[in-house]
Coordinates of all heavy atoms in Angstrom, one line a residue:
E16 N -5.5 10.6 2.8 CA -5.6 12.0 2.8 C -5.7 12.5 4.2 O -6.4 12.0 5.0 CB -6.8 12.5 2.0 CG -6.9 14.0 1.8 CD -8.0 14.3 0.9 OE1 -8.1 13.7 -0.2 OE2 -8.8 15.2 1.3
R17 N -4.9 13.5 4.5 CA -4.9 14.0 5.9 C -6.1 14.9 6.2 O -6.4 15.8 5.5 CB -3.6 14.8 6.1 CG -3.4 15.3 7.5 CD -2.0 15.8 7.7 NE -1.7 16.0 9.1 CZ -1.3 17.1 9.6 NH1 -1.0 18.1 8.9 NH2 -1.1 17.2 10.9
C18 N -6.7 14.7 7.4 CA -7.8 15.5 7.8 C -7.2 16.6 8.6 O -6.4 16.4 9.5 CB -8.7 14.6 8.7 SG -10.0 15.5 9.5
I19 N -7.6 17.9 8.3 CA -7.1 19.0 9.0 C -8.1 19.5 10.1 O -9.3 19.7 9.8 CB -6.9 20.2 8.0 CG1 -5.9 19.8 6.9 CG2 -6.3 21.4 8.7 CD1 -4.6 19.4 7.3
V20 N -7.6 19.6 11.3 CA -8.4 20.0 12.4 C -7.7 21.2 13.1 O -6.5 21.2 13.2 CB -8.5 18.8 13.5 CG1 -9.3 19.2 14.7 CG2 -9.0 17.6 12.8
R21 N -8.5 22.1 13.6 CA -7.9 23.4 14.1 C -7.3 23.2 15.5 O -6.3 23.8 15.9 CB -9.0 24.5 14.2 CG -9.4 25.0 12.9 CD -10.4 26.0 13.0 NE -11.1 26.3 11.7 CZ -11.2 27.4 11.2 NH1 -10.8 28.5 11.8 NH2 -11.8 27.6 10.0
N22 N -7.8 22.3 16.3 CA -7.3 22.0 17.6 C -6.1 21.1 17.5 O -6.2 20.0 17.0 CB -8.4 21.4 18.4 CG -8.0 21.1 19.9 OD1 -6.9 20.6 20.1 ND2 -9.0 21.4 20.8
P23 N -4.9 21.5 18.0 CA -3.7 20.7 17.9 C -3.9 19.3 18.5 O -3.3 18.3 18.0 CB -2.6 21.5 18.6 CG -3.2 22.9 18.7 CD -4.7 22.8 18.7
D24 N -4.5 19.2 19.7 CA -4.7 17.9 20.3 C -5.6 17.0 19.5 O -5.3 15.8 19.4 CB -5.4 18.1 21.7 CG -4.5 18.8 22.7 OD1 -3.2 18.7 22.6 OD2 -5.0 19.5 23.6
L25 N -6.6 17.6 18.9 CA -7.5 16.7 18.0 C -6.8 16.4 16.7 O -7.0 15.3 16.2 CB -8.8 17.5 17.7 CG -9.7 17.6 18.9 CD1 -11.0 18.4 18.5 CD2 -10.1 16.3 19.5
Q26 N -5.9 17.3 16.3 CA -5.1 17.0 15.0 C -4.2 15.8 15.3 O -4.1 14.9 14.4 CB -4.3 18.2 14.6 CG -3.6 17.9 13.3 CD -4.5 17.7 12.1 OE1 -5.4 18.5 11.9 NE2 -4.4 16.6 11.5
D27 N -3.6 15.7 16.5 CA -2.8 14.6 16.8 C -3.6 13.3 16.8 O -3.2 12.3 16.2 CB -2.1 14.8 18.1 CG -1.2 13.6 18.5 OD1 -0.3 13.3 17.7 OD2 -1.3 13.1 19.6
Q28 N -4.8 13.3 17.3 CA -5.7 12.1 17.3 C -6.1 11.8 15.9 O -6.1 10.6 15.6 CB -6.9 12.4 18.2 CG -6.6 12.6 19.7 CD -5.9 11.3 20.3 OE1 -6.3 10.2 20.0 NE2 -4.9 11.5 21.1
A29 N -6.4 12.8 15.1 CA -6.8 12.5 13.7 C -5.7 11.9 13.0 O -5.9 10.9 12.2 CB -7.3 13.8 13.1
D30 N -4.5 12.3 13.2 CA -3.3 11.8 12.5 C -3.1 10.3 12.9 O -2.7 9.4 12.1 CB -2.0 12.6 12.8 CG -2.1 13.9 12.1 OD1 -2.9 14.1 11.1 OD2 -1.3 14.8 12.5
R31 N -3.3 10.0 14.2 CA -3.1 8.7 14.7 C -4.2 7.7 14.1 O -3.9 6.6 13.7 CB -3.3 8.6 16.3 CG -2.1 9.1 17.0 CD -2.3 9.0 18.5 NE -1.1 9.4 19.2 CZ -1.0 9.3 20.5 NH1 -2.0 8.9 21.2 NH2 0.1 9.6 21.1
V32 N -5.4 8.2 14.0 CA -6.5 7.4 13.4 C -6.1 7.1 12.0 O -6.3 6.0 11.5 CB -7.8 8.1 13.6 CG1 -8.9 7.4 12.7 CG2 -8.3 8.1 15.0
A33 N -5.7 8.1 11.3 CA -5.3 7.9 9.9 C -4.2 6.9 9.7 O -4.2 6.0 8.8 CB -4.9 9.2 9.2
G34 N -3.2 7.0 10.6 CA -2.1 6.0 10.6 C -2.6 4.6 10.9 O -2.1 3.6 10.3
L35 N -3.5 4.5 11.8 CA -4.1 3.1 12.1 C -4.9 2.6 11.0 O -4.8 1.4 10.7 CB -5.0 3.2 13.4 CG -4.2 3.4 14.7 CD1 -5.2 3.6 15.8 CD2 -3.4 2.2 15.0
A36 N -5.6 3.5 10.3 CA -6.4 3.0 9.1 C -5.5 2.5 8.1 O -5.8 1.4 7.4 CB -7.2 4.2 8.6
E37 N -4.3 3.1 7.8 CA -3.4 2.6 6.9 C -2.8 1.3 7.3 O -2.6 0.4 6.4 CB -2.2 3.7 6.7 CG -2.6 4.9 6.0 CD -1.5 6.0 6.0 OE1 -0.4 5.7 6.4 OE2 -1.8 7.1 5.6
K38 N -2.5 1.1 8.6 CA -2.0 -0.2 9.0 C -3.0 -1.3 8.9 O -2.6 -2.4 8.5 CB -1.5 0.0 10.5 CG -0.3 0.8 10.7 CD 0.1 0.9 12.1 CE 1.3 1.8 12.3 NZ 1.7 2.0 13.7
V39 N -4.2 -1.0 9.2 CA -5.3 -2.0 9.1 C -5.4 -2.4 7.6 O -5.6 -3.6 7.3 CB -6.6 -1.5 9.6 CG1 -7.8 -2.4 9.2 CG2 -6.6 -1.4 11.1
E40 N -5.4 -1.5 6.7 CA -5.5 -1.8 5.3 C -4.3 -2.6 4.8 O -4.5 -3.6 4.0 CB -5.6 -0.5 4.4 CG -6.1 -0.7 3.0 CD -7.4 -1.5 2.9 OE1 -8.3 -1.2 3.7 OE2 -7.5 -2.3 2.0
A41 N -3.1 -2.3 5.3 CA -2.0 -3.1 5.0 C -2.1 -4.5 5.5 O -1.8 -5.5 4.8 CB -0.7 -2.4 5.5
L42 N -2.6 -4.6 6.8 CA -2.8 -6.0 7.3 C -3.8 -6.7 6.6 O -3.7 -7.9 6.3 CB -3.2 -5.9 8.8 CG -2.1 -5.5 9.8 CD1 -2.7 -5.3 11.2 CD2 -1.1 -6.6 9.9
R43 N -4.9 -6.0 6.2 CA -5.9 -6.7 5.4 C -5.3 -7.3 4.1 O -5.7 -8.4 3.7 CB -7.0 -5.7 5.0 CG -8.2 -6.2 4.3 CD -9.2 -5.1 4.1 NE -10.2 -5.5 3.0 CZ -11.2 -6.2 3.2 NH1 -11.5 -6.7 4.4 NH2 -12.0 -6.5 2.2
G44 N -4.5 -6.5 3.5 CA -3.8 -7.0 2.3 C -2.9 -8.2 2.5 O -2.9 -9.2 1.8
S45 N -2.2 -8.1 3.6 CA -1.2 -9.2 4.0 C -2.0 -10.5 4.4 O -1.5 -11.6 4.2 CB -0.2 -8.8 5.0 OG -0.9 -8.6 6.3
F46 N -3.2 -10.3 4.9 CA -4.0 -11.5 5.3 C -4.7 -12.0 4.1 O -5.4 -13.1 4.2 CB -5.0 -11.2 6.4 CG -4.4 -11.0 7.8 CD1 -4.7 -10.0 8.6 CD2 -3.5 -12.0 8.2 CE1 -4.2 -9.9 9.9 CE2 -2.9 -11.8 9.5 CZ -3.3 -10.8 10.3
D47 N -4.7 -11.3 3.0 CA -5.5 -11.6 1.8 C -6.9 -12.0 2.1 O -7.4 -13.1 1.8 CB -4.8 -12.8 1.0 CG -5.4 -13.1 -0.3 OD1 -6.1 -12.2 -0.9 OD2 -5.2 -14.2 -0.8
V48 N -7.6 -11.1 2.7 CA -9.0 -11.3 3.2 C -9.9 -11.7 2.0 O -10.7 -12.6 2.1 CB -9.5 -10.1 3.9 CG1 -11.0 -10.2 4.2 CG2 -8.8 -9.8 5.2
D49 N -9.7 -11.0 0.8 CA -10.5 -11.3 -0.3 C -10.3 -12.8 -0.8 O -11.2 -13.5 -1.1 CB -10.3 -10.3 -1.4 CG -10.7 -8.9 -1.1 OD1 -11.6 -8.8 -0.2 OD2 -10.2 -7.9 -1.6
G50 N -9.0 -13.2 -0.8 CA -8.7 -14.5 -1.2 C -9.2 -15.5 -0.3 O -9.7 -16.6 -0.7
R51 N -9.1 -15.2 1.0 CA -9.6 -16.2 2.0 C -11.1 -16.3 2.0 O -11.7 -17.3 2.1 CB -9.2 -15.7 3.4 CG -7.7 -15.9 3.7 CD -7.3 -15.4 5.0 NE -5.8 -15.5 5.1 CZ -5.2 -15.9 6.2 NH1 -5.8 -16.3 7.3 NH2 -3.9 -16.0 6.2
Q52 N -11.8 -15.1 1.7 CA -13.2 -15.1 1.6 C -13.7 -16.0 0.4 O -14.6 -16.7 0.4 CB -13.8 -13.7 1.5 CG -15.3 -13.7 1.4 CD -16.0 -14.2 2.7 OE1 -15.7 -13.8 3.8 NE2 -16.8 -15.2 2.6
A53 N -12.9 -15.9 -0.7 CA -13.2 -16.7 -1.9 C -13.1 -18.2 -1.6 O -13.9 -19.0 -2.0 CB -12.3 -16.2 -3.1
E54 N -12.0 -18.5 -0.9 CA -11.8 -19.9 -0.5 C -12.9 -20.4 0.4 O -13.4 -21.5 0.3 CB -10.4 -20.1 0.1 CG -10.1 -21.5 0.4 CD -8.7 -21.8 1.1 OE1 -7.9 -20.8 1.2 OE2 -8.5 -22.9 1.5
L55 N -13.3 -19.5 1.3 CA -14.4 -19.9 2.3 C -15.7 -20.1 1.5 O -16.4 -21.1 1.8 CB -14.5 -18.7 3.3 CG -15.5 -18.9 4.4 CD1 -15.1 -20.1 5.3 CD2 -15.5 -17.6 5.3
D56 N -15.9 -19.3 0.5 CA -17.2 -19.5 -0.3 C -17.1 -20.8 -1.0 O -18.1 -21.5 -1.1 CB -17.3 -18.3 -1.3 CG -17.6 -17.0 -0.6 OD1 -18.0 -17.0 0.6 OD2 -17.4 -15.9 -1.3
D57 N -15.9 -21.1 -1.5 CA -15.8 -22.4 -2.3 C -16.0 -23.6 -1.3 O -16.6 -24.6 -1.7 CB -14.4 -22.5 -2.9 CG -14.2 -23.8 -3.7 OD1 -15.1 -24.0 -4.6 OD2 -13.3 -24.5 -3.4
I58 N -15.4 -23.5 -0.1 CA -15.6 -24.6 0.9 C -17.1 -24.7 1.2 O -17.6 -25.8 1.3 CB -14.7 -24.3 2.1 CG1 -13.3 -24.6 1.7 CG2 -15.2 -25.3 3.3 CD1 -12.3 -24.2 2.8
E59 N -17.8 -23.6 1.4 CA -19.2 -23.6 1.7 C -20.0 -24.4 0.6 O -20.8 -25.2 0.9 CB -19.7 -22.2 1.9 CG -19.3 -21.5 3.1 CD -19.8 -22.1 4.4 OE1 -20.8 -22.9 4.4 OE2 -19.3 -21.7 5.5
R60 N -19.6 -24.1 -0.6 CA -20.2 -24.7 -1.8 C -19.9 -26.2 -1.8 O -20.9 -27.0 -1.9 CB -19.7 -24.1 -3.1 CG -20.4 -24.7 -4.3 CD -19.6 -24.4 -5.6 NE -18.2 -24.8 -5.6 CZ -17.8 -26.0 -5.8 NH1 -18.7 -27.0 -6.0 NH2 -16.5 -26.3 -5.8
Q61 N -18.7 -26.6 -1.5 CA -18.3 -28.0 -1.4 C -19.1 -28.8 -0.3 O -19.5 -29.9 -0.5 CB -16.8 -28.2 -1.2 CG -16.0 -27.8 -2.4 CD -14.5 -28.0 -2.1 OE1 -14.1 -29.1 -1.7 NE2 -13.7 -27.0 -2.2
L62 N -19.3 -28.1 0.8 CA -20.0 -28.7 1.9 C -21.5 -28.9 1.6 O -22.2 -29.6 2.4 CB -19.8 -27.9 3.2 CG -18.4 -28.0 3.8 CD1 -18.2 -27.0 4.9 CD2 -18.1 -29.4 4.2
T63 N -22.0 -28.4 0.5 CA -23.4 -28.7 0.1 C -23.5 -29.9 -0.7 O -24.6 -30.4 -1.0 CB -24.0 -27.5 -0.6 OG1 -23.3 -27.3 -1.9 CG2 -24.0 -26.2 0.2
L64 N -22.4 -30.5 -1.2 CA -22.4 -31.6 -2.1 C -22.5 -32.9 -1.3 O -21.8 -33.2 -0.3 CB -21.1 -31.7 -2.9 CG -20.8 -30.4 -3.7 CD1 -19.4 -30.5 -4.4 CD2 -21.9 -30.3 -4.8
P65 N -23.5 -33.8 -1.6 CA -23.7 -35.0 -0.9 C -22.4 -35.9 -0.9 O -22.1 -36.6 0.1 CB -24.8 -35.7 -1.7 CG -25.5 -34.6 -2.5 CD -24.4 -33.6 -2.7
E66 N -21.6 -35.9 -2.0 CA -20.5 -36.8 -2.0 C -19.4 -36.4 -1.0 O -18.6 -37.3 -0.6 CB -19.9 -36.9 -3.4 CG -19.4 -35.6 -4.0 CD -20.4 -34.8 -4.8 OE1 -21.6 -35.1 -4.7 OE2 -20.0 -33.9 -5.6
V67 N -19.4 -35.2 -0.6 CA -18.4 -34.8 0.4 C -18.8 -35.5 1.7 O -17.9 -35.9 2.5 CB -18.4 -33.2 0.6 CG1 -17.6 -32.8 1.8 CG2 -17.8 -32.6 -0.6
W68 N -20.0 -35.6 2.0 CA -20.4 -36.2 3.3 C -20.3 -37.7 3.3 O -20.3 -38.3 4.4 CB -21.9 -35.7 3.7 CG -21.9 -34.2 3.9 CD1 -22.3 -33.3 3.0 CD2 -21.3 -33.6 5.0 NE1 -22.0 -32.0 3.6 CE2 -21.5 -32.2 4.8 CE3 -20.8 -34.0 6.2 CZ2 -21.1 -31.2 5.7 CZ3 -20.4 -33.0 7.2 CH2 -20.5 -31.6 6.9
G69 N -20.1 -38.3 2.1 CA -19.8 -39.7 2.1 C -18.3 -40.0 2.4 O -18.0 -41.2 2.6
D70 N -17.5 -39.0 2.5 CA -16.1 -39.1 2.9 C -15.9 -38.3 4.2 O -15.7 -37.1 4.1 CB -15.2 -38.6 1.7 CG -13.8 -38.7 2.0 OD1 -13.3 -39.0 3.1 OD2 -13.0 -38.6 1.0
A71 N -16.0 -39.0 5.3 CA -15.9 -38.3 6.6 C -14.6 -37.5 6.8 O -14.7 -36.4 7.3 CB -16.1 -39.4 7.7
A72 N -13.5 -38.1 6.3 CA -12.2 -37.4 6.5 C -12.2 -36.1 5.7 O -11.7 -35.0 6.2 CB -11.1 -38.3 6.1
R73 N -12.7 -36.1 4.5 CA -12.8 -34.9 3.6 C -13.7 -33.9 4.2 O -13.4 -32.7 4.3 CB -13.3 -35.3 2.2 CG -13.3 -34.1 1.3 CD -13.7 -34.6 -0.1 NE -13.9 -33.4 -1.0 CZ -14.6 -33.4 -2.1 NH1 -15.2 -34.5 -2.5 NH2 -14.8 -32.3 -2.8
A74 N -14.9 -34.3 4.7 CA -15.8 -33.4 5.3 C -15.2 -32.7 6.5 O -15.4 -31.5 6.7 CB -17.1 -34.1 5.6
R75 N -14.6 -33.5 7.3 CA -14.0 -33.0 8.6 C -12.9 -32.0 8.2 O -12.8 -30.9 8.8 CB -13.4 -34.1 9.4 CG -12.9 -33.7 10.8 CD -12.5 -34.9 11.7 NE -11.8 -36.0 11.0 CZ -12.3 -37.1 10.6 NH1 -13.6 -37.4 10.9 NH2 -11.6 -38.1 10.1
G76 N -12.0 -32.3 7.2 CA -11.0 -31.4 6.8 C -11.5 -30.1 6.3 O -11.0 -29.0 6.6
L77 N -12.6 -30.2 5.5 CA -13.2 -29.0 5.0 C -13.8 -28.1 6.1 O -13.7 -26.9 6.1 CB -14.3 -29.3 3.9 CG -13.8 -29.8 2.6 CD1 -14.9 -30.3 1.7 CD2 -13.1 -28.6 1.8
Q78 N -14.5 -28.8 7.0 CA -15.1 -28.1 8.2 C -14.0 -27.4 9.0 O -14.1 -26.2 9.4 CB -15.9 -29.0 9.1 CG -17.2 -29.4 8.4 CD -17.9 -30.4 9.3 OE1 -17.3 -31.4 9.8 NE2 -19.2 -30.2 9.5
Q79 N -12.9 -28.0 9.2 CA -11.8 -27.4 10.0 C -11.2 -26.2 9.2 O -10.9 -25.2 9.8 CB -10.7 -28.5 10.3 CG -11.1 -29.5 11.3 CD -10.2 -30.7 11.4 OE1 -9.3 -30.9 10.6 NE2 -10.4 -31.5 12.5
R80 N -10.9 -26.4 7.9 CA -10.4 -25.3 7.1 C -11.4 -24.1 7.1 O -11.0 -23.0 7.2 CB -10.1 -25.8 5.7 CG -9.6 -24.7 4.8 CD -8.2 -24.4 5.2 NE -7.7 -23.3 4.3 CZ -6.8 -22.4 4.6 NH1 -6.3 -22.4 5.8 NH2 -6.4 -21.5 3.8
R81 N -12.7 -24.4 7.0 CA -13.7 -23.4 7.0 C -13.6 -22.6 8.3 O -13.7 -21.4 8.3 CB -15.1 -24.0 6.8 CG -16.2 -22.9 6.9 CD -17.6 -23.5 6.8 NE -17.8 -24.5 7.9 CZ -18.9 -25.2 8.0 NH1 -19.9 -25.1 7.1 NH2 -19.1 -26.0 9.0
S82 N -13.5 -23.3 9.4 CA -13.4 -22.7 10.7 C -12.2 -21.7 10.8 O -12.4 -20.6 11.3 CB -13.4 -23.7 11.8 OG -13.3 -23.1 13.1
R83 N -11.1 -22.2 10.4 CA -9.9 -21.4 10.5 C -10.0 -20.1 9.6 O -9.6 -19.0 9.9 CB -8.6 -22.2 10.1 CG -8.2 -23.1 11.2 CD -6.8 -23.7 10.9 NE -6.8 -24.5 9.7 CZ -7.1 -25.7 9.5 NH1 -7.6 -26.4 10.5 NH2 -7.0 -26.3 8.3
L84 N -10.5 -20.3 8.4 CA -10.7 -19.2 7.4 C -11.6 -18.2 8.0 O -11.4 -17.0 7.9 CB -11.1 -19.7 6.1 CG -10.1 -20.4 5.2 CD1 -10.8 -21.1 4.0 CD2 -9.1 -19.4 4.7
Q85 N -12.8 -18.7 8.5 CA -13.8 -17.8 9.0 C -13.2 -17.0 10.2 O -13.5 -15.8 10.3 CB -15.0 -18.6 9.5 CG -16.2 -17.7 9.8 CD -16.7 -17.0 8.6 OE1 -17.2 -17.6 7.7 NE2 -16.7 -15.6 8.7
E86 N -12.5 -17.6 11.0 CA -11.9 -16.9 12.2 C -11.0 -15.7 11.7 O -11.0 -14.6 12.2 CB -11.1 -17.8 13.0 CG -10.5 -17.2 14.3 CD -9.8 -18.2 15.2 OE1 -10.3 -19.3 15.4 OE2 -8.7 -17.9 15.6
G87 N -10.1 -16.0 10.7 CA -9.2 -15.0 10.1 C -10.0 -13.9 9.4 O -9.7 -12.7 9.6
V88 N -11.0 -14.2 8.7 CA -11.8 -13.2 8.0 C -12.5 -12.3 9.0 O -12.6 -11.1 9.0 CB -12.8 -13.8 7.0 CG1 -13.8 -12.8 6.5 CG2 -12.0 -14.4 5.8
D89 N -13.1 -13.0 10.0 CA -13.8 -12.2 11.1 C -12.9 -11.3 11.8 O -13.3 -10.2 12.1 CB -14.5 -13.2 12.1 CG -15.7 -14.0 11.5 OD1 -16.2 -13.6 10.4 OD2 -16.1 -14.9 12.1
T90 N -11.7 -11.8 12.1 CA -10.7 -10.9 12.9 C -10.4 -9.7 12.0 O -10.4 -8.6 12.5 CB -9.5 -11.7 13.2 OG1 -9.9 -12.8 14.1 CG2 -8.4 -10.9 13.9
A91 N -10.1 -9.9 10.8 CA -9.7 -8.8 9.9 C -10.9 -7.8 9.8 O -10.7 -6.6 9.8 CB -9.3 -9.3 8.5
M92 N -12.1 -8.3 9.6 CA -13.2 -7.4 9.5 C -13.5 -6.6 10.8 O -13.8 -5.5 10.8 CB -14.5 -8.2 9.1 CG -14.4 -8.9 7.8 SD -14.0 -7.9 6.4 CE -15.6 -7.2 6.1
A93 N -13.3 -7.3 11.9 CA -13.4 -6.6 13.2 C -12.4 -5.5 13.4 O -12.7 -4.4 13.9 CB -13.3 -7.6 14.4
L94 N -11.2 -5.7 13.0 CA -10.2 -4.7 13.0 C -10.6 -3.5 12.2 O -10.4 -2.4 12.6 CB -8.8 -5.2 12.6 CG -8.1 -6.1 13.5 CD1 -6.8 -6.7 12.8 CD2 -7.6 -5.4 14.8
G95 N -11.1 -3.8 11.0 CA -11.5 -2.7 10.1 C -12.7 -1.9 10.7 O -12.7 -0.7 10.6
R96 N -13.6 -2.6 11.4 CA -14.7 -1.9 12.1 C -14.3 -1.0 13.2 O -15.0 -0.1 13.6 CB -15.8 -2.9 12.5 CG -16.6 -3.4 11.3 CD -17.8 -4.2 11.8 NE -17.4 -5.3 12.7 CZ -17.2 -6.6 12.2 NH1 -17.3 -6.8 10.9 NH2 -16.9 -7.5 13.0
L97 N -13.2 -1.4 13.9 CA -12.7 -0.6 15.0 C -12.4 0.9 14.6 O -12.4 1.8 15.4 CB -11.5 -1.2 15.7 CG -11.8 -2.5 16.5 CD1 -10.5 -3.1 16.9 CD2 -12.7 -2.2 17.6
L98 N -12.1 1.0 13.4 CA -11.8 2.4 12.9 C -13.0 3.0 12.3 O -13.4 3.8 11.9 CB -10.6 2.3 11.9 CG -9.3 1.8 12.5 CD1 -8.3 1.6 11.4 CD2 -8.8 2.7 13.5

């Protein structure tokens, strides 16, 4: 929804912010933040299981995947907070 401002200069800025908000939401969808967060939660759950730590390669793979997912989720959330 467009924000109406009486000052033309401020209206231009308001329109730009609205456009950026739409782009961030589109990026959020394309990054599937909710799906990545769900996968991250599942990995965190798996990392609490003793049998995972009995398999060093599996534990290392889960930790690496967790790190990549967390970075992506954090980046998307930071972009959203900028607006």
Side-chain angles (χ1 to χ4, degrees):
E16 186 173 311
R17 187 168 189 234
C18 176
I19 304 299
V20 180
R21 291 179 193 232
N22 182 317
D24 293 332
L25 291 178
Q26 184 62 58
D27 182 52
Q28 294 299 318
D30 290 343
R31 284 183 175 183
V32 168
L35 287 172
E37 290 173 11
K38 288 179 182 178
V39 167
E40 194 56 38
L42 284 173
R43 182 177 163 83
S45 69
F46 285 135
D47 186 21
V48 174
D49 295 335
R51 289 177 188 223
Q52 184 62 56
E54 185 179 353
L55 187 57
D56 292 344
D57 183 57
I58 289 172
E59 291 289 350
R60 183 194 56 77
Q61 289 181 57
L62 288 171
T63 65
L64 302 173
E66 60 268 19
V67 168
W68 295 101
D70 181 345
R73 181 178 174 200
R75 186 172 43 257
L77 286 169
Q78 289 177 311
Q79 290 171 345
R80 180 69 180 151
R81 177 183 62 182
S82 179
R83 286 190 301 276
L84 286 168
Q85 188 66 60
E86 184 177 314
V88 168
D89 290 348
T90 298
M92 299 304 281
L94 284 173
R96 283 191 301 270
L97 287 175
L98 299 173

